[in-house]
Amino acid sequence: MTEEYIEVRLSDLLRYCSVGAIVRTQKGVMVVNDIRRWISPGRNLEDQQIRHVDRICKALGIANMRLCTPPHVTEQEDDGAVSGWIPASRFPKRTRCLKCGLMHWEPWKEKRGDNEWSCGGTETETGDICSGELEQVPWVLVHGKGYLTDVPWHDLVHDNASDTNECNPDWEEPYLKMQRSGIGIGQSILCTRCQCRSDERLPLRFYFPRNCWQQPWINEYPDSALEEPAWILQINDARIHSASNNAALVIPPESRVRQGTITDRLYNDLNSQEKIRNAKNELARKSAVRQVADDYDCETGEIENSIRDIDGGYPLYGQEIKTGDLFADEYEVLVREIHDFKEDEDFVTKHWTREWKALAQNLGSGVPRRVVNIVSNLVAVNKLKEIMVLKGFRRAGGRELVPPDIVGESRWLPALELYGEGIFVTLDEAILQRWESVSKVLWERADTFSKRFAKKEFSFEFEINPSPRFLLCHTLAHLMIRQLDAVADEEGSLGGLMEMAKPERFLRLLTSVFETATWCSLDPVCSEQDGQGPDLLNRAACHACALVPEPSCSYGNILLDRTFINGCASQFPGLLDCVDGGLED
């Protein structure tokens, strides 16, 4: 089939357009193939490997895997040919005629390179040849074990047929017809051969046939018994595909590694290391060192020093790493002041805490002073590198994680290096404890979130405890992001966050955040909601006040409630009320 190229953002390959995702384009609907097909002949995976991420790999439990950037277009030839593309397959494979409803199987096989397909079937009323346009049907069959296939339309139509019915499926000639029923919202499927007809509405669930491929691009059948029926879902249903990815910061000591040095090159050159270490005697070792030095165009002493540095634990130098301990490590390095940063490091911070605390000396007893007292650490993150890793995907709310290569045999995972900046803030522990202990109603409100969260149909890669403190901090972070985006000049743009972290500017920003937490343009409807959003996991939080673009929130824009910031009348206080004796003892 003629190759067609569709532009996709590189970061989307680890989210909405990752392995197994259905992608709607102007040229049709596609499904992204697994990573076994991502590496084209002649491409070297080593060139795409992300180095110095041992801490992240160990913490994520993937220490034996390499992290590699997905193939991507670096240049396009004059004849339109490109390098670095990700394969996808047309799916669903069944199409329907928009005029007569006749269903065809893969019409693009007959019309190679053509994106417009016509019916060519016989219209029963006139006997003429139908010239109606074909489009891919908008329904697919999805199983919680991760399987995806076309809806078995023939089986669905003949599910209640008698045992003597000998009508067999046919993929060569169109014989099934999709017809609207009722008032136009139902779909009925008619077999024009035996006149069997499905119900007026498609069933919500249907069994996954054993003779259907487990994925549209894999000619293999399900490898285990499927006790639970699959779901019939529309192709734009979010339950069809949910990417499972993790993101973590590159922090010291790995962020301080000067890439390209002799030590760094030798650390990543296992062949040269083995040549030196496996030398049979001292003379052979010196010869091996000399040969590596010639290859590196350096002195033998530099190779010897690099070997000693690597033996000493470069680049982690004995730092103990525990699985799942990402956030704790990142927190510790953010609150610790580090000096002597170099320009080529991947993690650079500037601590403003002393200057921030000094602001209180010139403030009265109003809101600005309380805002200063709430913050215990203020840090500008002038430079950071985040690694995003695709670990697999899930379907139909299933718990089973399908790896990016489907079979779980690949020794690499797709990953991206994302660069940016930020502002890191911690809240005063004593004030938080006082706020948490003031009212039982505060915990009762949080308990509503906990009960709903326990019944959710989706899952996260990390544990979440919807406590009052979590709900407060999460909502406050959202309001800060929205306030930074609302800044009209360069101070709120990329490259300006380090400026916004300066104490005077951050005070104005955070004061505005607490002010905006008290109202929403959709109040009182928003503030009085008992629940809104997915599974009713938000309360006083909507698109007009607290939600942010999906990629900006690791928790999917849920577990938000402005009431935890500003309080609820006489039921429980806001955070500012618990500062400087704002409450009577």
Side-chain angles (χ1 to χ4, degrees):
M1 184 177 293
T2 303
E3 292 180 344
E4 300 169 349
Y5 299 109
I6 303 167
E7 293 185 0
V8 175
R9 290 177 61 90
L10 190 59
S11 59
D12 287 347
L13 285 175
L14 271 65
R15 293 191 181 107
Y16 320 110
C17 301
S18 67
V19 173
I22 294 179
V23 182
R24 187 190 292 271
T25 73
Q26 294 180 345
K27 299 180 180 180
V29 183
M30 312 281 186
V31 61
V32 181
N33 296 178
D34 66 78
I35 62 173
R36 291 175 294 178
R37 305 189 180 194
W38 286 21
I39 305 301
S40 54
R43 293 187 64 87
N44 186 2
L45 193 60
E46 296 290 339
D47 297 336
Q48 301 168 229
Q49 185 174 353
I50 300 175
R51 310 288 184 178
H52 301 299
V53 287
D54 291 350
R55 181 191 75 92
I56 294 175
C57 289
K58 290 180 181 179
L60 293 180
I62 52 174
N64 60 336
M65 305 290 284
R66 288 179 292 173
L67 305 186
C68 302
T69 56
H72 56 280
V73 176
T74 54
E75 59 183 8
Q76 186 168 355
E77 305 296 337
D78 295 337
D79 60 357
V82 297
S83 61
W85 49 273
I86 304 295
S89 305
R90 287 193 187 277
F91 178 78
K93 299 178 181 180
R94 183 73 73 175
T95 63
R96 63 177 176 179
C97 176
L98 297 179
K99 185 177 181 181
C100 72
L102 201 61
M103 303 177 73
H104 298 253
W105 182 260
E106 293 188 318
W108 45 85
K109 281 189 174 181
E110 300 297 327
K111 299 184 178 181
R112 296 173 181 268
D114 192 356
N115 291 309
E116 296 182 1
W117 318 295
S118 57
C119 178
T122 303
E123 295 191 66
T124 56
E125 296 181 359
T126 64
D128 297 331
I129 299 299
C130 178
S131 59
E133 179 184 352
L134 300 181
E135 75 167 9
Q136 292 164 275
V137 296
W139 293 279
V140 294
L141 191 67
V142 187
H143 197 279
K145 290 184 72 69
Y147 301 137
L148 174 69
T149 190
D150 279 86
V151 175
W153 298 105
H154 179 93
D155 296 348
L156 188 149
V157 172
H158 298 86
D159 189 39
N160 295 321
S162 64
D163 294 338
T164 59
N165 188 305
E166 297 181 356
C167 187
N168 296 315
D170 187 345
W171 284 271
E172 300 299 328
E173 296 294 331
Y175 65 99
L176 299 175
K177 182 171 287 191
M178 183 174 290
Q179 300 173 328
R180 290 190 179 276
S181 58
I183 58 174
I185 60 174
Q187 297 288 344
S188 175
I189 313 299
L190 170 69
C191 176
T192 61
R193 291 177 174 174
C194 68
Q195 302 306 308
C196 280
R197 183 185 293 273
S198 69
D199 294 335
E200 292 186 353
R201 290 180 180 272
L202 297 178
L204 293 177
R205 307 192 75 169
F206 198 73
Y207 65 90
F208 197 101
R210 293 289 299 174
N211 60 347
C212 283
W213 295 0
Q214 59 175 266
Q215 304 294 342
W217 68 94
I218 299 178
N219 186 12
E220 295 178 7
Y221 303 132
D223 55 5
S224 59
L226 304 178
E227 298 177 357
E228 292 292 326
W231 293 86
I232 296 179
L233 302 175
Q234 291 196 359
I235 57 176
N236 60 351
D237 195 306
R239 291 174 291 176
I240 291 177
H241 176 271
S242 175
S244 174
N245 50 54
N246 290 102
L249 301 181
V250 179
I251 60 175
E254 288 180 310
S255 65
R256 312 204 74 173
V257 169
R258 301 189 64 187
Q259 299 191 30
T261 63
I262 300 299
T263 301
D264 181 53
R265 291 171 60 190
L266 188 59
Y267 173 76
N268 294 304
D269 185 357
L270 296 181
N271 290 333
S272 294
Q273 286 190 51
E274 291 178 358
K275 186 183 298 184
I276 297 173
R277 299 183 193 281
N278 295 338
K280 296 181 178 180
N281 50 54
E282 185 62 25
L283 183 61
R285 186 183 184 281
K286 289 182 178 181
S287 177
V289 169
R290 188 181 307 109
Q291 184 178 349
V292 173
D294 291 341
D295 294 338
Y296 282 29
D297 193 23
C298 67
E299 300 295 329
T300 56
E302 294 179 88
I303 299 297
E304 293 285 8
N305 290 336
S306 297
I307 287 290
R308 282 193 292 270
D309 205 9
I310 294 171
D311 290 341
Y314 174 93
L316 292 176
Y317 296 103
Q319 183 182 35
E320 184 179 358
I321 299 173
K322 299 178 180 179
T323 301
D325 206 18
L326 279 170
F327 292 156
D329 290 345
E330 292 171 3
Y331 176 85
E332 290 299 328
V333 76
L334 282 165
V335 298
R336 185 175 77 246
E337 193 165 1
I338 302 174
H339 302 282
D340 302 324
F341 283 111
K342 297 181 176 61
E343 292 184 359
D344 59 349
E345 294 185 26
D346 289 328
F347 184 87
V348 179
T349 59
K350 166 65 177 176
H351 284 245
W352 289 104
T353 303
R354 286 185 292 273
E355 293 84 349
W356 171 259
K357 294 297 184 182
L359 290 178
Q361 299 175 4
N362 300 319
L363 298 174
S365 59
V367 171
R369 184 184 182 91
R370 293 188 178 188
V371 171
V372 170
N373 289 338
I374 283 175
V375 175
S376 57
N377 286 283
L378 174 60
V379 183
V381 185
N382 298 344
K383 183 181 179 182
L384 61 83
K385 180 167 74 172
E386 181 183 62
I387 305 297
M388 179 182 292
V389 184
L390 176 66
K391 299 181 70 175
F393 65 89
R394 294 182 175 88
R395 298 199 193 278
R399 298 284 182 179
E400 189 160 331
L401 179 67
V402 182
D405 71 335
I406 305 299
V407 296
E409 297 177 354
S410 295
R411 306 321 311 161
W412 70 280
L413 293 173
L416 290 176
E417 296 174 292
L418 305 174
Y419 293 88
E421 58 184 335
I423 301 175
F424 175 73
V425 175
T426 64
L427 303 182
D428 186 88
E429 179 64 25
I431 296 174
L432 283 174
Q433 289 182 2
R434 187 180 190 200
W435 172 75
E436 289 173 324
S437 62
V438 164
S439 173
K440 293 182 179 179
V441 180
L442 184 75
W443 289 90
E444 292 172 357
R445 190 176 180 99
D447 188 55
T448 302
F449 282 90
S450 296
K451 291 178 179 178
R452 292 174 180 172
F453 188 70
K455 298 178 181 179
K456 68 187 183 306
E457 294 184 355
F458 47 89
S459 60
F460 290 97
E461 296 302 314
F462 38 81
E463 293 185 5
I464 301 175
N465 176 22
S467 64
R469 182 178 298 207
F470 174 87
L471 292 161
L472 166 74
C473 294
H474 187 207
T475 308
L476 189 63
H478 272 238
L479 298 184
M480 287 179 61
I481 292 173
R482 290 176 63 96
Q483 191 66 25
L484 285 166
D485 289 340
V487 177
D489 57 19
E490 71 278 359
E491 291 177 355
S493 62
L494 184 63
L497 286 181
M498 64 183 73
E499 294 296 318
M500 292 301 295
K502 291 182 177 179
E504 294 81 1
R505 293 183 177 180
F506 188 73
L507 177 58
R508 293 195 295 270
L509 171 77
L510 194 54
T511 301
S512 297
V513 166
F514 279 97
E515 291 174 352
T516 57
T518 62
W519 70 280
C520 170
S521 59
L522 296 181
D523 278 344
V525 176
C526 176
S527 60
E528 295 177 357
Q529 285 283 350
D530 180 61
Q532 55 183 321
D535 292 329
L536 302 180
L537 283 170
N538 291 328
R539 293 194 68 170
C542 68
H543 284 285
C545 61
L547 303 191
V548 298
E550 288 291 342
S552 301
C553 179
S554 300
Y555 306 101
N557 263 334
I558 61 171
L559 303 176
L560 299 165
D561 188 351
R562 290 180 291 115
T563 307
F564 282 91
I565 298 175
N566 53 52
C568 184
S570 60
Q571 296 183 350
F572 59 85
L575 186 62
L576 288 179
D577 298 325
C578 297
V579 184
D580 288 342
L583 294 173
E584 295 183 1
D585 295 327

